[in-house]
Amino acid sequence: MNKAGLAVTMTEAQLEEAVEGMARILGWDVRHIRDSRRQNAEGLPDAFLIRPPVSFWMEFKTEKGTLTATQKYLIPRMQAAGQTVYIIRPGDWLSGRVEAMLGVREF
């Protein structure tokens, strides 16, 4: 199967596991919000990563996944307040974009 085929079949959970696992290996502190609705954090991205002096949020979606209405409202507000938020899809993982974000290669 080619990369495009893999990207289409990769689940959100598989993507989260791959990205967060790599981040931890590279020394990032990863905080994953498991169920934002139950934690009074609805609309927050899935994970917060920090490795001083850098920090950012990641929202994981499948190739065709869409943001919720709350995320469409909250993420731009977070960005306007100076927060960096990336929407991560399987294609980003397979292309090397995630490695660049984590400092493995130039972004």
Side-chain angles (χ1 to χ4, degrees), residues 3-4 8 10-11 13 23 25 28 36 47-48 52 58 61-62 65 69 76 85 87 89-90 92 99 106:
K3 284 187 177 184
V8 171
M10 191 175 209
T11 67
I25 288 169
W28 289 86
S36 62
F48 182 71
M58 286 186 164
K61 293 292 181 191
T62 62
V85 182
I87 310 302
R89 299 183 184 278
D92 298 317
E99 291 175 339
E106 200 169 309

Side-chain angles (χ1 to χ4, degrees), residues 1-11 14 63 90-91 94:
M1 184 180 293
N2 62 23
K3 284 187 177 184
L6 285 173
V8 171
T9 61
M10 191 175 209
T11 67
Q14 290 169 326
E63 281 302 310
L94 297 171

